[in-house]
Amino acid sequence: MELKDKVALVTGGAQGIGRTISEELTRAGAHVVLGDVNLEGAQATAEAINNSGGSASAVKIDVSNSTEVREVFDFILKDKKPVDIVVNNAGITRDGLMVRMKESDWDLVLDINLKGSFLCSQQAAKQMMKQKSGTIVNIASIVGVMGNFGQANYSASKAGVIGLTKTLAREVASRGIRVNAIAPGFIDTEMTRVLDEEVRQKLIEQIPLARLGLPEDVARCVNFLVSDKSSYITGQVINLNGGMLM
Ligand code: NAI
């Protein structure tokens, strides 16, 4: 129970990787607040976690909306205590070739994936600086490091998340706060289930460990990065991709 008495906010916690991260952190003893635009989904996930012996609650948050983000952090502070852990996991894709990409698809992806991580990290840092402790983990992506066909908006947002991680890590290290990112490769979730079978097989051929990643692979890494086991690690990007990018 390494995270006993810790309060964590996991954005996009209703499903996929965020859900598995939330389950993992509650197993380690944390109370997890699942923040999601999909409140019903987040409530159902929180209920499932509570029914299996964990401690979780759900809040509605659109991470790209600064007012909502501030209200959620104020609520957690009043309801529980300052946040100890924030996992910026909420993210979307709106893929298309760059020459045909709609400006609205560029803006939406940048607003949720990058600005959302900025807004939540800013509120988190304010609370954590007062307590002189805390950890933030940003979920970036392999395509933020290497680019990807049809993902100009998404890869730019995730490259931005990596820059944000390194800058914030430098700014808050002296206050005892660590900030790291995970750049997952292709993980088996709703987001990648839209790929047709041929594309999936081609992807797997490029992965030395010969499989897509699992949400559990990401969740265990998050658990490590928010625990004292990684107390000398900050400003890093962990490439979690089965060897696809070395
Ligand atoms: P998912 O689509 O299954 O889940 C995303 C969650 O974020 C959903 O619950 C959704 O309601 C929530 N969300 C969307 N917009 C939001 C907003 N504005 N405010 C709050 N919540 C919002 O996605 P998945 O696959 O679980 O991805 C999670 C994170 O991991 C994302 O940041 C994604 O970019 C990243 N990632 C995923 C990979 C994959 O292969 N699935 C690979 C690399 C990174």
Side-chain angles (χ1 to χ4, degrees):
M1 297 298 257
E2 197 165 3
L3 302 180
K4 191 171 176 293
D5 300 328
K6 303 276 187 203
V7 171
L9 171 67
V10 177
T11 69
Q15 66 175 50
I17 296 171
R19 177 184 177 130
T20 309
I21 292 170
S22 302
E23 290 166 349
E24 177 83 16
L25 298 187
T26 54
R27 273 196 297 274
H31 174 84
V32 177
V33 181
L34 288 80
D36 209 294
V37 272
N38 173 8
L39 179 61
E40 279 180 21
Q43 282 170 331
T45 301
E47 200 181 317
I49 289 174
N50 290 328
N51 288 341
S52 57
S55 172
S57 51
V59 288
K60 151 87 173 57
I61 187 172
D62 173 356
V63 293
S64 65
N65 180 321
S66 56
T67 308
E68 272 187 37
V69 170
R70 204 174 44 246
E71 283 171 1
V72 163
F73 277 85
D74 288 349
F75 170 76
I76 296 172
L77 184 63
K78 277 203 199 100
D79 188 49
K80 306 257 177 239
K81 62 193 271 289
V83 286
D84 302 289
I85 296 164
V86 169
V87 184
N88 286 308
N89 164 80
I92 62 160
T93 52
R94 288 292 183 276
D95 297 349
L97 290 180
M98 187 174 139
V99 287
R100 284 196 228 123
M101 185 169 283
K102 285 194 225 131
E103 189 179 340
S104 56
D105 283 341
W106 172 271
D107 287 344
L108 188 64
V109 169
L110 269 288
D111 268 2
I112 293 175
N113 297 7
L114 181 55
K115 190 172 111 182
S117 299
F118 159 69
L119 292 173
C120 291
S121 297
Q122 190 179 48
Q123 291 303 316
K126 283 182 184 167
Q127 292 191 8
M128 291 172 178
M129 281 161 86
K130 287 193 188 132
Q131 334 176 60
K132 295 202 166 37
S133 70
T135 52
I136 298 173
V137 177
N138 295 321
I139 306 300
S141 167
I142 189 172
V143 307
V145 183
M146 58 185 262
N148 196 25
F149 209 86
Q151 292 200 303
N153 48 2
Y154 183 76
S155 60
S157 74
K158 295 300 188 176
V161 164
I162 290 172
L164 171 71
T165 301
K166 294 180 181 182
T167 294
L168 186 60
R170 287 182 189 278
E171 289 186 2
V172 297
S174 64
R175 312 292 184 97
I177 303 164
R178 296 186 299 106
V179 188
N180 290 291
I182 299 174
F186 291 86
I187 307 296
D188 197 3
T189 66
E190 302 285 316
M191 201 179 250
T192 45
R193 263 168 230 149
V194 295
L195 302 171
D196 65 46
E197 197 43 41
E198 201 185 329
V199 177
R200 267 170 89 91
Q201 283 313 320
K202 285 222 168 91
L203 264 175
I204 290 171
E205 281 166 24
Q206 297 171 52
I207 303 172
L209 289 180
R211 65 168 175 89
L212 295 188
L214 298 172
E216 289 75 10
D217 295 317
V218 182
R220 283 193 290 264
C221 189
V222 171
N223 192 355
F224 169 70
L225 288 174
V226 302
S227 78
D228 286 344
K229 289 192 183 110
S230 60
S231 57
Y232 199 50
I233 299 178
T234 197
Q236 302 305 307
V237 183
I238 310 291
N239 290 307
L240 192 147
N241 56 41
M244 190 175 180
L245 175 77
M246 297 188 184

